[in-house]
């Protein structure tokens, strides 16, 4: 089990918050962003780096990762499944999933969302 | 819109209003602009298929996706699939003779029916069609000119557009696309979700980095005349550069509006 408070110093979380521009928001706002990730981590029984590792293949000699298409699809589906367990309206369910996708995106995993067109 | 402003306003737009359809007459303008492009041998280097996003089944739309072309397919209401017509050399002799008859290719420049009938097949056409690299190279350059014209036309019509790679395996089968149509770009077209500034004009390097004059015995980087540059600003070929001060907030607003990751 992990908590949002513990994850606030995780390098992948720090990188996400900084890259997404959340690091300039109040500590409470930042914590709110991380809470969803912490819940997802607990749902999956994994730490943030382990979730990233599912989506990325080993670093090559030139220091570049490759994306695991299969792993990325699995995580994307797991995010959708997790979001449905939250008991939220569709709008907030999508936002919850996208909060976690934002963590992946800002750590180098190219995931494009599906728009919910008004 | 004046020409300079059209050139300055064109940019690769990725946020379209997904709920706003593009009028068919605007698509015709875009295609006519391609049809009016410069082309060697007066040949037809491009083929295009216009598809309304909502006319595709979800499976067909999914079949077009690749890692970097995914969300865009859901946002843009119109797709123009551009192909390079690798049979562009067919009919060249007839077209060239037509141009001679029209006074476009003149004897003053060495053109005659005899030249076309008796010389050009071996010296030009077979050199192109018999060399796969040359065939594709020329096809790509000339198709690119048509596509570039169409991009400008889209912006002149108040639309946004962006060229993307796409996966064409399934659509080729579904649409019976001939083998000699080689995939070029997928042009996504729609109305901008925000304003036409779309975050500002994209960064470019100074002219002196890529453009040269030949002076004496060497290349010299082209020197800009500040007065000309200023005139281009006034006529909007050169516009406010990215990022506009509100861009990152605007993107966050788009993401929240459309339910996308931030």
């Amino acid at each position: 089990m992990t908590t949002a408070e513990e994850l606030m110093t995780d390098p992948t979380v720090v990188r996400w918050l900084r890259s997404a521009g959340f690091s300039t928001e109040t500590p409470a706002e930042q914590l709110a962003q991380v809470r969803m990730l912490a819940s997802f981590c607990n749902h999956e029984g994994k730490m943030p780096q382990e979730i990233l590792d599912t989506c990325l293949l080993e670093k090559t000699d030139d220091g570049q990762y490759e994306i695991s298409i299969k792993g990325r699809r699995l995580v994307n589906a797991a995010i959708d499944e997790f979001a449905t367990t939250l008991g939220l309206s569709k709008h907030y369910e999508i936002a919850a999933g996208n909060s976690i996708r934002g963590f992946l995106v800002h750590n180098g995993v190219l995931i494009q969302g599906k728009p919910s067109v008004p | 819109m004046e020409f300079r402003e059209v050139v300055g306003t064109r940019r690769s737009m990725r946020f379209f209003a997904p709920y706003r359809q593009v009028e068919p007459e605007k698509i015709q303008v875009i295609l006519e602009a391609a049809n009016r492009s410069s082309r060697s041998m007066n040949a037809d280097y491009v083929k295009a298929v216009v598809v309304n996003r909502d006319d595709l089944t979800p499976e067909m739309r999914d079949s077009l996706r690749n890692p970097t072309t995914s969300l865009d397919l859901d946002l843009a209401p119109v797709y123009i699939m551009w192909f390079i017509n690798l049979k562009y050399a067919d009919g060249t002799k007839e077209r060239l003779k037509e141009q001679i008859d029209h006074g476009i290719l003149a004897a003053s420049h060495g053109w005659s029916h005899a030249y076309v009938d008796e010389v050009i097949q071996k010296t030009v056409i077979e050199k192109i069609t018999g060399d796969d690299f040359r065939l594709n190279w020329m096809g790509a350059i000339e198709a690119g000119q048509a596509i570039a014209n169409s991009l400008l036309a889209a912006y002149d019509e108040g639309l946004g557009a962006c060229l993307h790679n796409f996966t064409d395996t399934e659509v080729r089968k579904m649409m019976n696309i001939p083998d000699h149509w080689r995939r070029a770009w997928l042009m996504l077209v729609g109305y901008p979700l925000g304003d036409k500034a779309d975050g500002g004009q994209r960064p470019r390097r100074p002219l002196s980095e890529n453009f040269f004059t030949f002076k004496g015995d060497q290349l010299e980087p082209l020197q800009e005349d500040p007065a000309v540059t200023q005139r281009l600003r006034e006529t909007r070929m050169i516009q406010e550069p990215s990022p506009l001060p509100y861009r990152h907030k605007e993107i966050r607003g788009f993401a929240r509006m459309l339910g996308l990751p931030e």
Side-chain angles (χ1 to χ4, degrees):
Chain A
M1 287 285 285
T2 188
T3 65
E5 287 79 1
E6 287 168 353
L7 290 185
M8 289 300 288
T9 55
D10 184 294
T12 62
V13 172
V14 171
R15 186 186 197 189
W16 164 38
L17 296 177
R18 187 175 299 145
S19 173
F22 292 133
S23 56
T24 57
E25 296 186 359
T26 64
E29 280 291 324
Q30 293 183 47
L31 202 58
Q33 289 289 340
V34 179
R35 249 185 215 116
M36 195 57 67
L37 176 65
S39 299
F40 180 65
C41 287
N42 291 329
H43 182 264
E44 294 294 300
K46 290 180 176 173
M47 292 300 283
Q49 184 61 56
E50 291 176 295
I51 292 168
L52 289 170
D53 289 344
T54 309
C55 302
L56 299 169
L57 298 175
E58 267 183 41
K59 261 186 182 170
T60 52
D61 291 342
D62 59 3
Q64 294 279 303
Y65 282 114
E66 282 190 42
I67 299 277
S68 162
I69 294 172
K70 191 175 162 193
R72 187 177 55 182
R73 281 191 189 137
L74 282 173
V75 170
N76 213 12
I79 290 170
D80 284 337
E81 187 270 329
F82 163 72
T84 60
T85 67
L86 299 173
L88 301 170
S89 69
K90 194 71 191 167
H91 175 81
Y92 288 105
E93 193 180 289
I94 290 168
N98 281 333
S99 171
I100 300 159
R101 286 189 186 91
F103 161 76
L104 296 172
V105 168
H106 289 282
N107 277 288
V109 179
L110 195 150
I111 282 189
Q112 297 194 355
K114 277 251 182 193
S116 54
V117 178
Chain B
M1 210 186 296
E2 293 298 324
F3 173 76
R4 287 180 187 170
E5 186 172 0
V6 173
V7 172
T9 303
R10 187 218 61 77
R11 53 208 61 180
S12 293
M13 186 172 286
R14 294 177 176 83
F15 286 101
F16 299 101
Y19 39 78
R20 188 170 175 192
Q21 190 49 259
V22 175
E23 299 83 346
E25 55 267 31
K26 295 195 172 190
I27 299 300
Q28 182 178 336
V29 172
I30 290 169
L31 297 177
E32 189 62 50
N35 198 34
R36 296 287 151 194
S37 68
S38 168
R39 76 265 316 272
S40 58
M41 305 187 299
N42 198 22
D44 296 325
Y45 290 88
V46 284
K47 302 284 185 182
V49 178
V50 180
V51 180
N52 286 319
R53 175 196 59 204
D54 297 339
D55 290 341
L56 288 179
T57 63
E59 292 75 24
M60 290 312 301
R61 198 193 303 179
D62 284 344
S63 79
L64 299 170
R65 296 184 198 279
N66 66 31
T68 54
T69 307
S70 185
L71 166 64
D72 314 79
L73 293 168
D74 299 318
L75 297 182
V78 176
Y79 310 162
I80 301 179
M81 297 174 185
W82 293 102
F83 297 90
I84 305 167
N85 169 29
L86 290 177
K87 287 194 175 174
Y88 59 80
D90 288 2
T92 294
K93 287 168 111 181
E94 290 70 28
R95 285 191 307 274
L96 291 175
K97 284 195 275 187
E98 180 185 47
Q99 289 193 296
I100 291 168
D101 294 342
H102 287 209
I104 299 163
L105 299 175
S108 56
H109 291 63
W111 288 94
S112 67
H113 278 223
Y115 173 67
V116 170
D117 278 334
E118 295 158 24
V119 181
I120 210 161
Q121 180 70 31
K122 286 251 179 273
T123 57
V124 177
I125 299 173
E126 286 180 15
K127 281 195 173 166
I128 296 167
T129 56
D131 178 340
D132 206 43
F133 173 79
R134 196 178 293 197
L135 180 76
N136 280 275
W137 168 78
M138 190 155 143
I141 287 176
E142 302 293 58
Q145 298 202 65
I147 297 167
N149 267 20
S150 72
L151 278 173
L152 292 177
Y155 280 82
D156 194 39
E157 291 296 312
L159 301 164
C162 188
L163 298 175
H164 287 263
N165 192 5
F166 68 113
T167 307
D168 64 342
T169 316
E170 294 302 319
V171 289
R172 293 189 80 89
K173 288 184 217 156
M174 185 190 76
M175 297 177 180
N176 294 315
I177 301 293
D179 289 344
H180 65 276
W181 293 19
R182 182 173 184 174
R183 183 186 74 228
W185 290 121
L186 179 67
M187 183 168 146
L188 301 180
V189 185
Y191 281 93
L193 185 59
D195 56 34
K196 67 180 180 182
D198 194 44
Q201 198 169 41
R202 305 329 189 213
R204 291 289 190 267
R205 275 55 60 196
L207 295 185
S208 57
E209 279 195 28
N210 297 306
F211 303 104
F212 304 89
T213 53
F214 184 62
K215 292 267 174 66
D217 59 354
Q218 60 182 359
L219 299 185
E220 287 186 7
L222 188 108
Q223 296 303 312
E224 291 183 42
D225 177 345
V228 175
T229 305
Q230 178 57 28
R231 207 154 59 237
L232 294 177
R233 284 188 207 288
E234 289 163 6
T235 51
R236 301 198 48 72
M237 186 181 277
I238 301 173
Q239 300 186 6
E240 296 76 13
S242 65
L244 295 180
Y246 55 84
R247 181 56 171 176
H248 294 295
K249 286 182 181 171
E250 183 180 42
I251 287 180
R252 184 157 288 177
F254 290 159
R256 290 182 184 178
M257 175 185 178
L258 297 169
L260 299 170
E262 294 176 33

